[in-house]
Amino acid sequence: QIKGTHLEHFRFYTSQMKIEAQHKIDMESAIRKGLMKGEFIPFYQAKVSCKTGGVVGMEALARWVKADGKIISPVDFIPLAEELNLIHEIDTRIITSAVRDMAEWEKAGHNELVVSANISATELEDPAFVDTIFSILEDNNVAKEKFELEVTESLIMKDVEKNAQILEKLCTSGINCSIDDFGTGYSSLSYLKKLPIKTLKIDRSFVNDIMTDHNDLAIVCAIISMARRMGLKVVAEGVEDADQVELLKKEGCDIIQGYYYSKPLSKKDFLDFINLKRDRAPMRN
Ligand code: C2E
Ligand code: MG
Ligand code: MG
Ligand code: MG
């Protein structure tokens, strides 16, 4: 009887594994085709200054836009693209498009913007990738100071010493580096001293409940005051309502990003959004 049970499990797992393996093969060829057809494009989510209320930058977030118009979220293809070694190519596309769009908007008079992009673990550790970013910026005449890399805390923690060196190279070049999803990486705070970063992005999970959960509120306030004392900028991500905005402003947060201001938008919609914001707030400095 025991044997039988094992056998059943064995059959179950093998057929399950077959399905998963087939799914991976299908996805791999779908991603490759999507890359060939230019279906991986950035959407842009505004970052708004607490001081001026103006848009100071935007985060490029990858979207897979299929031929039928269906939009696939990065959470549904990034992990697999990482596993299949296709993330490098996707991120290169996203960064190239984002920098090109940014150059276009700069020419149209939006010279206050800094564009940020997200990268995965293998890329930070690949010296060629850093050079790719430099040449994309040069090709488009975009200053390094206008570009920011968002690196998650857990990615940095994989090898703090090594990653600190890579970030140092990026920072001395003028590129901005920020720690994404800050607070979720189970790290000791001492490593912050070693990293040449300029910005902390407080993870959405802490921001979510600041109005109702006093522990989350305490964490957010502690991060803001620590960052300020260390001379770092603070971005709160995932801000969805006016009460949160007011509270974060009062606590001294520098920049807000979230559905309250805007969801990630297509290139065209984002341009409309920043034009509208600029026209409505002509007094901004
Ligand atoms: P992230 O970099 O932490 O980006 C923030 C995520 O929160 C985005 O999800 C954004 O759409 C979402 N978000 C922003 N504001 C709000 C809000 O007010 N409420 C809620 N509920 N959500 C909000 P998205 O676009 O699905 O991206 C998910 C993650 O995928 C990103 O997290 C990032 O880690 C990764 N990712 C996205 N684009 C790229 C890329 O081009 N390359 C790489 N390597 N990773 C990427
Ligand atoms: Mg990010
Ligand atoms: Mg984040
Ligand atoms: Mg995240």
Side-chain angles (χ1 to χ4, degrees):
Q1 209 197 349
I2 290 171
K3 251 185 188 169
T5 315
H6 274 220
L7 206 60
E8 260 161 47
H9 278 216
F10 181 69
R11 272 199 209 107
F12 171 74
Y13 283 122
T14 46
S15 62
Q16 193 60 29
M17 276 158 68
K18 260 189 201 157
I19 293 169
E20 276 166 25
Q22 189 56 48
H23 174 71
K24 256 182 215 169
I25 294 167
D26 294 345
M27 277 295 278
E28 174 163 15
S29 84
I31 292 176
R32 285 189 192 282
K33 277 187 198 138
L35 277 165
M36 262 176 338
K37 290 193 272 182
E39 292 179 345
F40 292 90
I41 59 167
F43 269 40
Y44 299 102
Q45 188 179 32
K47 293 184 185 177
V48 175
S49 159
C50 288
K51 221 181 263 162
T52 67
V55 178
V56 289
M58 60 282 178
E59 177 173 10
L61 292 155
R63 296 290 183 268
W64 183 359
V65 183
K66 295 274 186 84
D68 61 4
K70 202 177 151 211
I71 298 176
I72 302 185
S73 148
V75 293
D76 294 324
F77 63 83
I78 298 260
L80 196 62
E82 285 173 344
E83 205 183 314
L84 296 167
N85 273 324
L86 291 168
I87 190 65
H88 187 115
E89 206 161 329
I90 293 176
D91 283 348
T92 306
R93 298 287 178 94
I94 298 301
I95 293 172
T96 306
S97 301
V99 169
R100 201 187 295 140
D101 292 345
M102 160 92 168
E104 205 177 303
W105 297 331
E106 245 178 14
K107 277 194 198 119
H110 289 285
N111 22 43
E112 68 283 14
L113 303 173
V114 172
V115 67
S116 70
N118 298 280
I119 53 167
S120 296
T122 53
E123 299 166 308
L124 189 66
E125 288 155 18
D126 174 10
F129 192 75
V130 174
D131 292 333
T132 304
I133 294 176
F134 288 161
S135 63
I136 294 170
L137 292 169
E138 267 160 36
D139 291 348
N140 291 281
N141 263 320
V142 169
K144 296 197 176 72
E145 290 72 18
K146 296 288 191 154
F147 184 77
E148 181 176 57
L149 277 180
E150 299 194 3
V151 184
T152 61
E153 186 184 9
S154 43
L155 192 165
I156 292 174
M157 290 313 294
K158 280 188 176 165
D159 188 343
V160 184
E161 301 295 330
K162 187 175 165 198
N163 289 332
Q165 280 176 20
I166 299 166
L167 292 174
E168 189 69 52
K169 182 183 169 193
L170 285 164
C171 281
T172 41
S173 83
I175 286 179
N176 301 286
C177 296
S178 74
I179 301 187
D180 206 347
D181 303 347
F182 186 75
T184 61
Y186 307 102
S187 52
S188 82
L189 292 172
S190 64
Y191 82 98
L192 268 182
K193 291 189 300 191
K194 297 187 193 164
L195 297 172
I197 46 124
K198 295 216 178 85
T199 309
L200 294 184
K201 284 189 85 170
I202 307 173
D203 192 66
R204 180 149 57 95
S205 60
F206 300 115
V207 177
N208 257 339
D209 300 325
I210 45 170
M211 302 312 295
T212 49
D213 184 325
H214 67 274
N215 288 325
D216 283 346
L217 178 62
I219 291 170
V220 168
C221 293
I223 294 174
I224 293 173
S225 81
M226 177 188 67
R228 291 180 73 87
R229 284 179 174 219
M230 293 179 80
L232 302 172
K233 267 201 187 139
V234 195
V235 180
E237 67 175 14
V239 178
E240 295 187 356
D241 60 54
D243 290 343
Q244 293 172 334
V245 172
E246 207 175 306
L247 195 152
L248 288 161
K249 276 185 184 169
K250 199 185 85 204
E251 291 301 326
C253 183
D254 300 291
I255 293 169
I256 285 176
Q257 189 183 0
Y259 293 174
Y260 176 72
Y261 288 112
S262 167
K263 290 198 168 179
L265 301 171
S266 69
K267 178 185 177 183
K268 185 192 167 294
D269 289 346
F270 183 74
L271 183 62
D272 289 346
F273 175 79
I274 51 176
N275 282 335
L276 194 75
K277 266 225 140 216
R278 181 169 63 179
D279 297 344
R280 278 199 189 149
M283 300 293 286
R284 221 180 66 232
N285 37 350

